[in-house]
Amino acid sequence: MVSKVFNSVGDNNDVVSSTGVTKQQQLLQCDYLVVGAGTAGMSFVDTIITENPDATVVLLDRNSQAGGHWTQAYPFVKLHQPSCLYGVNSLPLGKTFLSKNGNIKERYDIHDRVSGAEILDYYQTACDQFVATGRVKCIFDCEYKIFDEQTGLHTAAIVNNNSPTSSGATTTNDDGNNNDNNDDNVVFAVKCRKLVTVKTNVTVPSMRKPLIPVAENVHFVPVNEVPACAKSGKYKKYIVFGNGKTGTDAIINLLDEHQIDESQITWVISRDVWYFLRDAMEDVYHSSDIFMKMAEANSVKECYLTFEKEGLVGRLDTGTKNDVVPDVFKGPTIDNTELQTIQTISNIVRMGRATSIESNKVVCDIGSFDFSPEDTLLVDCMVDNLYGYDFKDDFKIFEPNRINLGPLTHFFNVSMSSAHIAFLECALDRKKNKNKNKNKTNNNGNTNNDDAKNKCCFFLRGPVYTLPNPEFLIGMMYMQNKSVDALMKVKGGSKFFFNSRANMMAPKHHKGGMTKLLWNTFGPKQMCQFDKKLAKKIESKGYSDIDHCFGIETFV
Ligand SMILES: Cc1cc2nc3c(=O)[nH]c(=O)nc-3n(C[C@H](O)[C@H](O)[C@H](O)COP(=O)(O)OP(=O)(O)OC[C@H]3O[C@@H](n4cnc5c(N)ncnc54)[C@H](O)[C@@H]3O)c2cc1C
């Protein structure tokens, strides 16, 4: 593995010694060093090499393959949004068909959602496509280390993910020497124009230790182990912790795939959440009509209750039971049948967050309950944040010599947001270069045009506005509208936007194409007025329960 990766780095590069690193070294040179081959990094690379035919990239990831958190996802995971909106712009994902002139096409189909395994295959193909351009090197099992200001070089090291250090296994490096339990087999240096990193910190249960103390005798497992444990027949009871997308998937898997009776399941819910209901999203224009009602509501609560009436969102307890109005929204998407399935669970524990698991007792914020450790499986589906969405209030995407990915400039859409950022990087660099050629002295010191690029990126940031509460949805829509508005003013921006497969509104995804989009935008529905109406609502403090403008003042 090591020598294969090492060779793929490139045998003919100069060897450098100036970093002070003593191990075997090579120097790679590129325009962009992209750290992270998850969805954010992959979409960025794809758009950069498409928009800039000269750009060269080194893409590295500590995992053994592309796909980021999907490499460690539970076996029954699927996208919760349609496949046609996910991944890189240059490669379809999910169902395709051949157009009359023989082109491969995708259609927006809310029920077409590929599995985690299919996402990994897809990203492998995307990597092959990148490498085939001759402008991208993909290096896996590779940890980005450090930037040395003196030499201007970045350092990365090949790590051996297959080395079970605890078992005392040894690996061999290119010299044939043994590296006893040594993860850093090959160190190399990269000289690049810009470093691109992913600033979110997506952590799924299988990547981490339990978030709370757990007694040793307890069978507490990440959600990944549910199918095997359920099949083993060892467990009579199940306690599921967490009610976001992962917890919901675990409950549905137990009930539907393993025929576990609802009476065998206890569901620990720290706070109730709103779910998007995908049945209302079958036709994107129908769901847009519902979304636009956001600008008519007078409070966040009214907005969600209107959405609920229209079938766009749902919750565990409606008026018929305890009428719990959720105070969390993270965008999990399920369908009506799945909502009905999870609503069959009667043993719901609402005692706040679980704080520890003792040998036969679950302790929560405001109470505890007992369980029998011998025959109970406790399933960890807890998420301690909004998929690592945590940005300081002065966070910038474009900085001198670096680009920080992660912020969502498009509503819950990492793929589109990263492609958007890569597009701006190219489009506004081009503009700068053109101006520079016209008048060589026209350089205000901002050699990368970073200010202009940042002015096109609106996203939620700061500790107050990145909380996963219901107003987050309104704020994200507001920011997306501003980002799209700014993008339309960039040369080539509208072409990029409407041709991007990750864009939900891309005409090619929907029957009726551009004609239908134009009719919806400028016809009687006046979709074109929505962003103005929403902005006015927020900026005039028209929601009784929102007393701010999501920090928009910090962007201007
Ligand atoms: C169960 C689940 C379902 C989801 N479904 C959808 C969906 O349907 N649609 C949607 O749009 N979003 C969905 N999401 C949201 C999801 O977070 C994003 O789609 C996306 O996968 C996040 O990608 P990322 O690149 O930001 O992060 P990651 O997937 O975490 O990728 C970051 C990568 O960077 C690498 N890395 C970091 N630091 C270093 C370093 N120093 N050296 C080397 N490598 C490094 C990591 O190894 C990792 O591979 C879902 C999330 C979950 C958890």
Side-chain angles (χ1 to χ4, degrees), residues 41-52:
M42 293 295 285
S43 289
F44 180 88
V45 173
D46 184 70
T47 300
I48 276 287
I49 59 171
T50 306
E51 294 292 327
N52 178 352

Side-chain angles (χ1 to χ4, degrees), residues 36 38-40 61-63 68-70 79-81 86 142-144:
T39 295
D61 199 298
R62 62 166 73 100
N63 290 333
H69 72 82
W70 295 102
L79 278 179
H80 54 166
Q81 306 281 333
Y86 201 78
C142 180
E143 180 79 26
Y144 174 80

